[in-house]
Amino acid sequence: MSFFKRKIVYIPFIIVVLASGFWYRQYKKNHQPPVYETVRVERGDIIQTVEATGKIESTNNVSLRFEAPGTIASILIKEGDTVKAGALLGNIRLGELDAVVAQAKANLNQKLIGPSEQDKKYYAAAVLSAKASWEQAKVDANSMVKVAQAALETAKNNLKLAEGGDKSQIVNQAYANAVTTFQGTLVKLDDALTQADNILGIDNIFANDSFESYLSTLNASKLSVANGDYLIARQAGQKAREAILPLTLTSDHAKIDIAFVSTEDALVKMNTLLGSVSDVLKATQAIGTLTPSSLNDKKTIIETTRSTISGQYNTVLTQKQSLADAQNSFSTYSIAYTKALQDLEQAKANALTSTQIKEAAYNQAEATFESKVNPPREVDVAALRAALASAVAARDKGVIQAPFDGVITKINKKVGEAVSAADVILEMLSPHFEIKVDIPETDVAKLFVSTNKQVEFTVDALGDEKKFQGQITAIDKAATEIQDVVYYQVHVAVASSTLEQPFKAGMTANVKIKTDSRQNVLFIPLRIVRTRSNGTKYVKTLSNSTEQEVPVKLGLKGDDNKVEILEGLKEKDEVIVSVKK
C-alpha cells in the first residue's frame, strides 16, 4: 500500500479523536460546580442611629427699634456689651413727644373748665343730627328686610329647578364621563406595567436578558424594592381592571364609585413602581452591552411613563371633583335656600339692632348735651385722662430697653441720625442656642419610638474631635417636602448655654441621634435578605454544597447595613450572597 493510501485510511480515525476531545472539553465546561459568595452569621452589637446636618441658631435673636420716629439723642452701650433685661439702651429726642403730652394735658384742663357757648350750640345740633339718623335707620331697616325677602323667593325658585338629586341629567353625564376616563386609564396602566417589566423582567423574563446582570449594581436594595413594588402595582392594576371592564355609560352609580377607589389606588401604586424602577436605573452603571446611550434611553422612557401616570391620576381626580360638583348642585341650591332663610332672620335682627343703635346714639347725644351745661363729672373726663396716659406712653416709645439678658451684637445707627419706626437701631443675641435639622419621615418615626432624647453633635468649624451634647426639645408636626421626600424639622437644644461657648450662630452642626441598639445578637447584612410575594422574608444558606431557602424573622435594622436575626439562623451559619455558575 502506498504512503498516500495509508494516509487516507488514518484520516477518519483522526477526525473521531478530535471530535471526542472537543466533546469532552465541552462536557467538562458545562458541568463545572457553581462558585458561591457567602457570609457567616455573626454575633455582636447593633446600633441604630439617625444622622442629619443643620445650622446652629440662637433661640432668641432680636432687632430693636424705637416705636416712634425721631432723631437719636443717646446710645448708652457699645457692641459686645453684656446687658441685663430692662437696662436702658438709648433714646431719641423727646421734644415733640413732650409736646403731645402737653396738648393732652391742655385738653383735660379745658374739659375741667367747661364748654363755651359755642360748644353748647354744637352739642345741641348734634342732638338734632342723631335724631335724624335714627329716623333714617328705621327706613333703611325696612328696606333691608324687603331685600332679604326677595332673595329668599329667588332661592326657593332655584331649588325647584334643581330637583332630581343624584338621578339628574348632569349627575348621569358626570358618571358616564368617569367611565370613559377609567377606560383610558387601563391603557396607560398596562403600558406602564409593560415598561417597568421591560427593565425588571418579572413577567417577561427575557425582556432584560441583555442587561439584567448590570441592574442596580451600585445599590442592590433598589432592585429588591422595585421587584416588590412591581407585584403590588400589578395586583392593584388587576383589581382596577376587574372593576372597570364590566362598566358601561349607564352602569349603576355605586359600581362606578367603587371603580374610582380601585383606579386611584392602581395609579398611586403604579407611580410608586415607576419611581422605584427609576431608582434602579440610577443605581445602574453603563457597562458591557448596556451603553450610556441605551441606559439614558431607558431612564427617559421610565420618566416619561411616570409623567403620563401622574397626569392620568390628576385627570381621575378632576373627574371625581366634577362628579362631586354635579352631585352637589341640588345640595348647593338647598344650602342657598337655607341661607336665604337665615339671612332673612338676620336682616330682621340687624334691622332691630341698627335702629336700637341709632336710638341709643340719639339718647347719648341728649345725655351729652345735658352733661355740657353741667359741671363735668369724673366719668366725663375719663377719656381725656386716658388720652393723657396714652401720650405719656407714646413718649416712652422713644426709649429702648433690653427685653432679656443678652449681648449687643450690632449698633446700626449713631447719635444724631434721624430714624423711623422701621429702622433697626440695635441687635441683641440670646446666649441660648439650638440646632434645627430636617429628618426624613422614614427616620423621624424612630425618634417617636425611642425614649432617648440625648443628641451628640460636632461642629465643622471646630473639627470632628470635639463633640458636644444636646437634647431633642420638639419635632414639628407640619411636614416639609424636599425633592418628593417628606421631612420633619427636629429642634435640638444645646446642653450648655453660656456666652463663652466655642461656637457661634450660623455654624454647621452634624447631629447624631442614637435611636435603638441590641447587644450580643445574631446579625447578617440586610442586602442578602430576600422577600417573597406574600411579604415573608428568607435567605439562602449553603450546607455541604447544598442550597436551602430558610425563612427568617428580622429584628432591628441597624447601621452599616446590619439587621438582627430573631429566628431562622444560628451563629456561623453560611448564607449565600451570590452564585456564579
Side-chain angles (χ1 to χ4, degrees):
M1 181 181 294
S2 67
F3 174 78
F4 180 75
K5 290 182 178 180
R6 289 197 304 271
K7 194 173 184 181
I8 292 175
V9 170
Y10 293 146
I11 289 174
F13 176 75
I14 294 171
I15 292 173
V16 170
V17 171
L18 293 175
S20 299
F22 175 77
W23 177 84
Y24 176 74
R25 286 193 300 273
Q26 287 298 114
Y27 176 83
K28 186 175 182 181
K29 179 180 179 182
N30 293 333
H31 289 78
Q32 288 183 347
V35 178
Y36 294 94
E37 178 188 355
T38 63
V39 296
R40 292 192 179 276
V41 180
E42 297 183 51
R43 180 176 294 278
D45 299 339
I46 297 180
I47 297 177
Q48 182 189 76
T49 61
V50 173
E51 298 185 15
T53 298
K55 296 289 185 182
I56 296 177
E57 301 178 11
S58 170
T59 57
N60 202 353
N61 189 7
V62 297
S63 299
L64 301 178
R65 301 170 175 82
F66 292 115
E67 295 184 54
T71 301
I72 299 176
S74 66
I75 294 179
L76 305 176
I77 38 76
K78 60 182 182 297
E79 292 182 2
D81 282 355
T82 300
V83 297
K84 294 292 184 180
L88 180 63
L89 306 180
N91 63 274
I92 61 174
R93 296 174 184 171
L94 302 176
E96 293 183 5
L97 296 175
D98 285 337
V100 175
V101 173
Q103 182 62 54
K105 287 182 178 179
N107 292 340
L108 176 59
N109 292 332
Q110 184 178 20
K111 180 65 178 178
L112 294 173
I113 295 172
S116 63
E117 289 298 322
Q118 184 176 359
D119 289 338
K120 292 178 181 179
K121 291 179 180 179
Y122 168 80
Y123 291 114
V127 172
L128 296 176
S129 176
K131 185 176 182 180
S133 295
W134 181 21
E135 295 298 330
Q136 184 62 45
K138 295 177 183 178
V139 175
D140 293 342
N142 185 54
S143 176
M144 185 188 307
V145 172
K146 289 182 178 180
V147 169
Q149 288 173 333
L152 177 61
E153 287 298 318
T154 300
K156 185 176 180 181
N157 292 334
N158 290 337
L159 182 60
K160 290 181 179 179
L161 294 175
E163 288 178 348
D166 195 54
K167 300 299 182 181
S168 66
Q169 183 177 354
I170 187 173
V171 172
N172 288 334
Q173 184 59 51
Y175 272 106
N177 292 341
V179 173
T180 302
T181 300
F182 294 156
Q183 292 167 347
T185 301
L186 283 181
V187 176
K188 292 179 173 61
L189 286 171
D190 289 343
D191 178 67
L193 192 65
T194 298
Q195 296 301 338
D197 197 27
N198 287 341
I199 302 300
L200 302 178
I202 295 177
D203 288 327
N204 183 1
I205 61 175
F206 304 108
N208 63 352
D209 282 354
S210 64
F211 57 86
E212 182 178 9
S213 60
Y214 310 134
L215 284 178
S216 203
T217 54
L218 298 178
N219 189 339
S221 66
K222 299 295 185 182
L223 182 59
S224 176
V225 171
N227 288 338
D229 289 344
Y230 181 91
L231 300 176
I232 294 172
R234 184 179 65 185
Q235 183 180 9
Q238 181 59 33
K239 186 176 180 181
R241 178 181 300 279
E242 293 170 356
I244 293 172
L245 287 181
L247 297 178
T248 67
L249 299 181
T250 58
S251 288
D252 183 71
H253 292 177
K255 294 181 179 179
I256 299 177
D257 289 336
I258 293 173
F260 265 113
V261 176
S262 57
T263 301
E264 290 180 43
D265 182 62
L267 287 168
V268 169
K269 289 186 167 97
M270 187 61 68
N271 188 60
T272 300
L273 166 61
L274 293 172
S276 298
V277 175
S278 179
D279 289 342
V280 168
L281 293 176
K282 291 176 183 177
T284 300
Q285 290 182 303
I287 56 177
T289 58
L290 185 61
T291 65
S293 175
S294 175
L295 179 58
N296 287 333
D297 288 345
K298 289 175 173 53
K299 289 179 180 179
T300 300
I301 290 172
I302 292 301
E303 289 303 322
T304 301
T305 306
R306 190 179 184 188
S307 178
T308 299
I309 290 299
S310 295
Q312 189 65 18
Y313 180 70
N314 290 331
T315 299
V316 171
L317 292 183
T318 300
Q319 186 61 52
K320 189 175 182 180
Q321 183 59 50
S322 298
L323 177 59
D325 293 341
Q327 291 173 323
N328 290 335
S329 61
F330 180 77
S331 299
T332 300
Y333 287 127
S334 297
I335 293 171
Y337 176 73
T338 301
K339 186 177 183 302
L341 282 173
Q342 296 172 345
D343 288 346
L344 177 58
E345 295 303 317
Q346 188 62 47
K348 293 178 179 178
N350 290 343
L352 178 61
T353 301
S354 63
T355 54
Q356 289 176 337
I357 290 174
K358 294 298 182 180
E359 182 182 10
Y362 168 71
N363 293 333
Q364 181 61 44
E366 280 195 321
T368 300
F369 174 75
E370 293 295 332
S371 69
K372 296 303 177 181
V373 299
N374 296 316
R377 300 168 300 171
E378 182 57 33
V379 68
D380 299 325
V381 297
L384 293 175
R385 295 190 191 280
L388 176 58
S390 177
V392 173
R395 180 181 59 187
D396 292 343
K397 291 179 180 180
V399 174
I400 294 180
Q401 292 178 301
F404 50 78
D405 293 351
V407 178
I408 304 299
T409 58
K410 193 172 183 180
I411 299 176
N412 298 315
K413 300 294 180 180
K414 299 178 181 179
V415 173
E417 285 192 65
V419 295
S420 69
D423 291 328
V424 176
I425 310 303
L426 308 170
E427 295 183 23
M428 276 188 67
L429 182 69
S430 167
H432 301 284
F433 292 96
E434 71 173 359
I435 305 168
K436 296 179 182 178
V437 291
D438 291 321
I439 304 294
E441 61 178 332
T442 53
D443 286 337
V444 81
K446 301 173 185 176
L447 303 184
F448 288 116
V449 174
S450 173
T451 58
N452 177 38
K453 300 301 181 182
Q454 297 300 315
V455 174
E456 182 180 88
F457 68 93
T458 60
V459 179
D460 285 353
L462 303 177
D464 295 338
E465 303 80 17
K466 295 184 178 180
K467 300 185 183 300
F468 303 92
Q469 301 301 314
Q471 185 172 18
I472 297 175
T473 57
I475 301 175
D476 287 354
K477 294 183 179 179
T480 301
E481 190 168 309
I482 304 174
Q483 296 182 346
D484 297 330
V485 178
V486 175
Y487 289 84
Y488 292 86
Q489 192 167 83
V490 176
H491 298 251
V492 177
V494 176
S496 175
S497 298
T498 67
L499 294 173
E500 291 75 25
Q501 288 170 319
F503 40 78
K504 303 295 181 183
M507 288 184 174
T508 300
N510 305 300
V511 173
K512 186 174 184 179
I513 307 169
K514 180 180 177 182
T515 57
D516 207 346
S517 64
R518 298 286 189 275
Q519 285 75 43
N520 194 32
V521 297
L522 299 178
F523 65 86
I524 60 173
L526 177 62
R527 62 188 178 89
I528 65 176
V529 178
R530 307 165 188 256
T531 305
R532 294 191 176 92
S533 60
N534 62 1
T536 60
K537 307 293 184 181
Y538 72 97
V539 297
K540 290 187 176 181
T541 61
L542 186 64
S543 178
N544 297 324
S545 300
T546 302
E547 293 186 27
Q548 183 178 3
E549 290 189 1
V550 179
V552 293
K553 182 178 180 181
L554 304 183
L556 179 67
K557 296 179 181 178
D559 296 346
D560 302 324
N561 196 40
K562 296 178 181 178
V563 62
E564 179 186 5
I565 298 298
L566 299 177
E567 296 178 5
L569 297 173
K570 60 182 182 297
E571 188 175 356
K572 296 184 179 180
D573 278 354
E574 196 170 6
V575 184
I576 298 173
V577 177
S578 63
V579 183
K580 293 183 180 179
K581 298 184 178 180

